[in-house]
Amino acid sequence: MTSFRYFQLFLVSIFCGLTFVTYTVNRADILTYSESTLAQYVSSIDAATSWQDDGKALYLSLDKQFSFQFFQYIDSNDSDKSYTHGRLLSQHEDIISELFQIDIPYTQSLENGRLQVRLSIGNTFSQTVIKFKKQLILIWTTFLLISVFSFALTLRQAKKLRYSAKLIEDLPNFDFHSIQKSKLKGEFKPLTTAIESCQHNLKAEIDKLTDANEKLSRAAFQDPITGFGTRAKFTEKLNDICSPNSQQFGVLAMVKATELGAINQLHGREAGDDYLTRISNHIRKSLVKSPNAYCYRISTADFALILPDVTLKEGTSIIEQVKNAFDEYQQNLGTDSVAYIGLCPYLQNSDPVSLMTLADTAVSIAQTLGPNSVHVLQRLKGDELFGDSRWKVAIDDIVKRSAIKFYAQPIRPCRNDVESYRELLSRFYNDQGKFLPTTTVIAMAERHGMSEELDKLVILKTLSMLNETPSMSGLFGINISASSANQESFVAWLKNVLVRQRHIAARLVFEVNESGMQTNLSATYHFINEIHSVGARVSIERFGLGFTSFKFFKDVRPDFIKLDGSYTQGINSDAHNQFFVKMIIDIARKLTIRVIATGVENQEEKLAMEHLLMDGLQGYYIAKPTPLLTVSNSEKAEIVL
């Protein structure tokens, strides 16, 4: 029906054009006749002599030859000789007559007065209007006939199209009807041939499509890096073993690969993928004697192992083999740990949520016990935050002992006029000197409201290190949580500390995550103003993930913005990404804000970012994080809080 509407629009345009042309021709005829009548009148009035200065006599003399819409003679000397006849304004019965209305006025001065007339072409005018109406009837009757005929053809075509559409709709259901060719004749014959060919080919390809679908299904539920099942498959299995009618029992193990973030940052994403692959291979080798075990990758760095039909004691023995494999891998990996394991049993009619909470608590406790630790938890004993509570104690111990060490990763400037800095990366360790997973420490600190204490420790430790090590020059970036930066009490404390250490404050760049700062723009504005007031600087990291990024940095004006690493990935081949990054750089430069690219891991990404006129680059390809020596507690400089 769309083509019918377009055709109707075309017809309307054509017939409106014909109507306009017809009107123009008829009006031109009237104009010509009017001009001729006026010329005759002018000639007659000049020759008139018998009226003897009498307006009525003049009217009667001229009325024999001309028709007047309006006649008025005004004698200058004798008003009795003045004469008026007719109306100055014409009246018409319909709008078409109005369209053809033409005034023929003529005014002249006579010897003893003034003559004003409006000539009328009544008969000619009426004939022209009647003629135009007949032409309109002919034109638009023709339009109506063509429209009705085209509508009938459209209905016929639509019926054939619906029949064809029904045949095509049935193809995916493998419902192959015999085509009634009598319904698809003429111009639809190629469509008949095409549908018949499609039916034939589709029948021949059914088996191939079935095989391909099975392959796609396997790929959709198999993690490409580890070869384990995906979270969707794990959820399906978890619901199965926890269903009320299930008679299953066994052990659920959660494996948390806590070093993934550090490896990605130190060695790049490819090394991180290799790390996950090796963990999955060690798990497979350790479970070779447990062929019924199920392995899943349920998040970026989390794995789930289901060991059916084994007791908790048997499951613990099996998982110990996984731990031993992790210990061997750690020696080659060169990290402080590989992964942590939490273990719990499941029985008939278990609750999936409670079971996952139990396993998550077990792995949380394992992370506080040392590298590659395994913790077995049979029940929560009514305290669902038992694992988290243990983390609270561990973080409190970190703060009391100032158990922190620093790594530094430099940012390379892209121009000589750009001042850059080195980012300090914090690592925390327990009372046995064993490093704890940094990401988990920070997450648990935020969960328990201990971010401020942890951020204060990082800041004080940094100030002590810079005070005691004059040879360490340049700017240093310190990561603090957005929750701390949004607290007025913390900002007041930080300003007080920096005021007493202004020579150090000028060398500090405080890095805060963009998403956390956007939640409270007024607090963010206050934080940046206070930091600037003591000579320090602010960098917004992971910039570009929020929907309000542009308005955000336009209002608060940080000194640096660090683009999220996702913008760097494939930047050399992604034109849309390049356009967006270039737009950020252009806007930031107008606001005198430096833009730093993160996650630069190869030469192509480095060259692409330099081509976009980035201010600084950071990533494994630029420089690896290296450990920094911090002052001991006995040598720690006294800082008044």
Side-chain angles (χ1 to χ4, degrees):
M1 298 297 285
T2 301
S3 59
F4 173 73
R5 287 195 293 269
Y6 285 132
F7 181 69
Q8 286 297 102
L9 181 61
F10 174 73
L11 281 181
V12 169
S13 301
I14 293 295
F15 280 87
C16 284
L18 287 174
T19 301
F20 179 74
V21 170
T22 303
Y23 166 74
T24 303
V25 170
N26 283 284
R27 185 172 177 80
D29 291 343
I30 289 182
L31 284 173
T32 302
Y33 182 77
S34 299
E35 292 172 356
S36 174
T37 301
L38 180 60
Q40 292 177 17
Y41 167 77
V42 172
S43 175
S44 296
I45 194 63
D46 290 341
T49 58
S50 61
W51 60 285
Q52 299 176 351
D53 294 334
D54 185 349
K56 185 174 183 180
L58 177 61
Y59 171 75
L60 294 174
S61 174
L62 294 174
D63 186 54
K64 297 175 182 179
Q65 187 177 357
F66 302 98
S67 296
F68 294 97
Q69 175 188 323
F70 177 74
F71 180 94
Q72 185 181 56
Y73 170 73
I74 300 175
D75 193 282
S76 302
N77 301 319
D78 186 357
S79 60
D80 291 337
K81 294 182 179 182
S82 298
Y83 181 75
T84 300
H85 178 80
R87 290 190 297 268
L88 185 62
L89 298 177
S90 61
Q91 292 183 348
H92 298 288
E93 299 177 355
D94 52 44
I95 190 171
I96 294 180
S97 298
E98 290 285 349
L99 291 175
F100 286 96
Q101 172 60 34
I102 296 177
D103 292 330
I104 314 174
Y106 189 77
T107 303
Q108 68 181 122
S109 296
L110 301 178
E111 181 178 355
N112 295 320
R114 176 173 167 271
L115 177 63
Q116 179 182 3
V117 301
R118 282 184 182 268
L119 296 174
S120 172
I121 53 171
N123 291 334
T124 303
F125 178 84
S126 299
Q127 291 173 2
T128 301
V129 170
I130 293 172
K131 176 184 176 183
F132 181 68
K133 289 180 178 179
K134 291 180 178 180
Q135 290 171 337
L136 283 182
I137 293 173
L138 177 62
I139 289 172
W140 290 101
T141 300
T142 304
F143 167 79
L144 183 62
L145 292 174
I146 295 175
S147 298
V148 170
F149 180 72
S150 63
F151 182 70
L153 287 179
T154 302
L155 290 178
R156 182 171 176 270
Q157 298 287 75
K159 183 177 180 181
K160 293 183 178 182
L161 286 174
R162 285 194 296 271
Y163 178 69
S164 302
K166 182 64 171 60
L167 293 175
I168 296 173
E169 287 176 356
D170 290 339
L171 289 178
N173 301 324
F174 309 120
D175 191 4
F176 305 125
H177 301 290
S178 176
I179 300 177
Q180 300 179 31
K181 297 183 179 181
S182 59
K183 293 185 177 182
L184 297 176
K185 296 185 295 183
E187 67 274 16
F188 284 89
K189 187 174 182 180
L191 181 60
T192 304
T193 304
I195 294 176
E196 288 179 339
S197 176
C198 184
Q199 289 179 344
H200 175 76
N201 293 334
L202 191 57
K203 290 178 181 178
E205 294 293 327
I206 288 178
D207 292 337
K208 294 182 180 180
L209 289 175
T210 302
D211 293 340
N213 184 58
E214 291 177 356
K215 292 179 181 178
L216 289 173
S217 298
R218 288 194 297 269
F221 294 105
Q222 185 174 2
D223 179 61
I225 296 176
T226 63
F228 287 171
T230 60
R231 183 181 183 87
K233 294 297 290 183
F234 170 70
T235 302
E236 181 182 318
K237 182 63 178 177
L238 185 66
N239 291 330
D240 178 51
I241 64 176
C242 294
S243 64
N245 299 326
S246 173
Q247 302 295 323
Q248 303 179 53
F249 72 95
V251 172
L252 171 64
M254 295 288 293
V255 180
K256 184 175 288 293
T258 53
E259 299 302 309
L260 179 61
I263 291 175
N264 281 337
Q265 191 171 39
L266 289 170
H267 306 292
R269 293 184 297 273
E270 292 184 1
D273 290 346
D274 180 68
Y275 161 70
L276 295 175
T277 301
R278 289 179 180 272
I279 286 180
S280 62
N281 289 338
H282 285 301
I283 292 175
R284 283 193 187 89
K285 291 179 181 178
S286 301
L287 299 180
V288 68
K289 294 183 179 180
S290 304
N292 295 328
Y294 298 91
C295 302
Y296 306 93
R297 185 186 178 194
I298 59 175
S299 69
T300 303
D302 292 335
F303 300 87
L305 312 179
I306 295 179
L307 308 177
D309 304 324
V310 299
T311 62
L312 184 59
K313 183 178 180 180
E314 294 170 337
T316 303
S317 177
I318 294 172
I319 295 302
E320 282 294 333
Q321 298 178 35
V322 178
K323 178 192 181 307
N324 294 336
F326 288 168
D327 290 338
E328 293 179 8
Y329 177 38
Q330 181 185 344
Q331 297 177 9
N332 298 326
L333 187 62
T335 59
D336 299 312
S337 64
V338 170
Y340 298 84
I341 307 174
L343 206 63
C344 64
Y346 65 84
L347 300 171
Q348 178 183 354
N349 202 22
S350 298
D351 175 41
V353 176
S354 299
L355 185 59
M356 287 299 297
T357 301
L358 187 64
D360 186 61
T361 301
V363 77
S364 296
I365 296 173
Q367 291 177 78
T368 67
L369 301 177
N372 309 327
S373 294
V374 177
H375 185 75
V376 179
L377 195 60
Q378 297 190 51
R379 61 181 64 87
L380 291 175
K381 300 179 181 179
D383 184 3
E384 295 186 1
L385 295 178
F386 181 73
D388 287 353
S389 300
R390 193 179 184 93
W391 266 112
K392 185 175 181 180
V393 174
I395 294 171
D396 188 59
D397 178 65
I398 290 172
V399 174
K400 288 180 179 178
R401 293 186 298 103
S402 298
I404 181 174
K405 293 183 180 179
F406 289 118
Y407 281 69
Q409 186 176 28
I411 298 170
R412 177 185 296 175
C414 294
R415 300 194 311 276
N416 293 331
D417 62 332
V418 176
E419 187 178 16
S420 193
Y421 63 93
R422 283 181 284 175
E423 180 183 357
L424 294 179
L425 307 173
S426 304
R427 300 295 303 277
F428 308 98
Y429 53 91
N430 61 16
D431 55 1
Q432 299 177 359
K434 297 177 179 179
F435 280 113
L436 299 173
T438 304
T439 305
T440 307
V441 171
I442 295 174
M444 291 300 175
E446 291 181 351
R447 179 178 297 184
H448 291 289
M450 302 179 71
S451 295
E452 288 190 37
E453 288 82 355
L454 208 60
D455 289 336
K456 288 179 180 180
L457 169 63
V458 173
I459 292 168
L460 292 176
K461 197 76 171 179
T462 302
L463 292 173
S464 297
M465 178 182 66
L466 296 180
N467 271 315
E468 295 296 321
T469 317
S471 60
M472 296 179 65
S473 60
L475 304 181
F476 287 88
I478 303 176
N479 288 280
I480 62 173
S481 68
S483 60
S484 297
N486 288 333
Q487 295 296 323
E488 289 188 12
S489 59
F490 176 84
V491 175
W493 171 88
L494 178 58
K495 182 178 180 180
N496 184 46
V497 171
L498 296 179
V499 165
R500 299 171 185 271
Q501 301 283 328
R502 281 188 178 273
H503 63 292
I504 299 296
R507 299 172 56 193
L508 299 180
V509 180
F510 291 93
E511 293 195 4
V512 192
N513 190 287
E514 179 203 24
S515 59
M517 300 300 281
Q518 284 188 1
T519 58
N520 192 338
L521 285 179
S522 60
T524 299
Y525 186 76
H526 173 70
F527 168 75
I528 293 180
N529 277 347
E530 294 295 277
I531 293 300
H532 284 167
S533 69
V534 295
R537 307 173 209 195
V538 177
S539 177
I540 304 299
E541 64 173 354
R542 302 205 69 185
F543 183 85
L545 294 182
F547 291 105
T548 58
S549 294
F550 289 106
K551 183 180 185 304
F552 170 72
F553 80 83
K554 180 176 179 290
D555 290 343
V556 302
R557 299 290 181 93
D559 301 281
F560 301 90
I561 55 174
K562 298 177 71 174
L563 295 180
D564 185 73
S566 60
Y567 289 105
T568 305
Q569 299 177 24
I571 185 70
N572 53 309
S573 59
D574 190 338
H576 296 290
N577 200 10
Q578 292 174 12
F579 173 79
F580 188 73
V581 171
K582 186 66 170 65
M583 182 169 56
I584 292 176
I585 295 173
D586 291 342
I587 297 175
R589 189 149 296 160
K590 293 178 182 178
L591 300 173
T592 66
I593 299 172
R594 302 299 189 188
V595 184
I596 298 170
T598 64
V600 181
E601 297 185 1
N602 55 58
Q603 186 179 24
E604 289 77 12
E605 293 173 349
K606 172 182 176 293
L607 294 176
M609 286 301 186
E610 288 177 340
H611 180 71
L612 292 172
L613 303 180
M614 192 71 62
D615 293 306
L617 304 176
Q618 184 181 28
Y620 177 70
Y621 184 77
I622 303 302
K624 303 177 184 178
T626 55
L628 285 179
L629 296 176
T630 61
V631 295
S632 64
N633 289 335
S634 61
E635 299 172 333
K636 183 177 179 180
E638 191 68 28
I639 299 177
V640 181
L641 305 183

